[in-house]
Amino acid sequence: MNSKFIVVEGLDGAGKTSAIEQVVASLHYHGINNLVFTREPGGTPLAEALRKLIKKAMEYEQITDRAELLMFYAARVQLVESIIKPALARGAWVIGDRHDLSSQAYQGGGRGIDKKLLKTLHDIVLKNFSPHLTLYLDLPAPMGLGRALAREKLDRIEVESLAFFNRTRARYQELAAADARIVTIDASRPLEQVSATIRSCFEQWLNAQETQQ
């Protein structure tokens, strides 16, 4: 099969790492071993530096919502142009931990930034570039926050209010329902059930890709 860009999305604590493991296992089963892994924000020296700025609160200056959004897109375009597109061009499959859908949900839904501004930035920065498949792991915000808190210290965005994450989830759900390339997975269930669903959905998608080529 031709190389593809696969993204796993969801609130913090949704189980993105486990989902990526299932995707990788399926790809290996199909003999696809040329894989590149990315995360957002991050993935290049510049993008990783921006990640630190975004994730850590600054002692003497508050990061405005629009400044945060622009840093996400600066990190994203650097990653897409420097890592993702070259990897796809040489035949590698790219597995991403977050992509543009995160900004649409967190900054658009959670922060309440205008949809027109988000669309303008998307069109300027990414143009028509998008993942071939996105697995969106959906779960209630309190459950995700509980898992994230048990895992590690929360960062600047993870300490936002429950209302913020409820708005973020609502926007995720809205966007996923409107895009056939986004598959919603109920991530509130036990890990074994979630993993089995991810594996099944991804296998179906892979088989469909093989049939089309």
Side-chain angles (χ1 to χ4, degrees), residues 22-211:
Q22 296 304 313
V23 169
V24 170
S26 289
L27 290 172
H28 286 170
Y29 178 79
H30 284 258
I32 300 169
N33 300 302
N34 187 6
L35 307 178
V36 171
F37 299 91
T38 66
R39 69 173 182 175
E40 291 199 22
T44 76
L46 173 59
E48 289 293 331
L50 287 167
R51 180 186 180 90
K52 291 180 181 179
L53 287 174
I54 292 168
K55 293 283 188 177
K56 294 182 179 180
M58 300 184 70
E59 187 175 356
Y60 300 109
E61 182 177 1
Q62 181 178 356
I63 299 174
T64 67
D65 292 348
R66 290 194 175 191
E68 176 186 89
L69 177 66
L70 291 171
M71 285 193 288
F72 270 113
Y73 271 99
R76 181 166 299 130
V77 71
Q78 192 71 12
L79 178 65
V80 167
E81 298 298 333
S82 300
I83 303 296
I84 298 177
K85 285 184 177 179
L88 292 171
R90 65 175 183 266
W93 285 56
V94 181
I95 315 300
D97 181 342
R98 298 196 181 283
H99 187 57
D100 190 65
L101 190 62
S102 281
S103 290
Q104 304 298 323
Y106 277 83
Q107 281 68 52
R111 300 288 190 212
I113 292 177
D114 184 70
K115 290 182 180 179
K116 290 182 179 179
L117 174 57
L118 284 163
K119 185 179 186 307
T120 298
L121 274 174
H122 171 90
D123 291 347
I124 291 173
V125 172
L126 298 175
K127 298 182 174 63
N128 61 347
F129 182 80
S130 62
H132 296 90
L133 173 71
T134 298
L135 297 173
Y136 162 54
L137 307 177
D138 180 60
L139 82 171
M143 182 179 292
L145 288 173
R147 292 178 181 177
L149 185 59
R151 183 186 64 220
E152 59 187 11
K153 182 179 178 181
L154 301 182
D155 62 34
R156 187 181 67 86
I157 295 177
E158 290 170 335
V159 298
E160 287 289 344
S161 67
L162 180 59
F164 170 89
F165 290 104
N166 284 332
R167 293 193 300 271
T168 300
R169 183 195 185 195
R171 182 62 58 84
Y172 263 130
Q173 292 174 325
E174 173 190 344
L175 294 167
D179 191 338
R181 296 168 299 178
I182 302 174
V183 176
T184 299
I185 306 291
D186 180 1
S188 66
R189 298 168 298 157
L191 177 61
E192 294 78 9
Q193 294 180 24
V194 176
S195 295
T197 300
I198 292 169
R199 191 74 176 262
S200 175
C201 290
F202 190 64
E203 285 285 343
Q204 290 178 26
W205 181 83
L206 275 177
N207 290 333
Q209 301 305 302
E210 289 180 337
T211 301

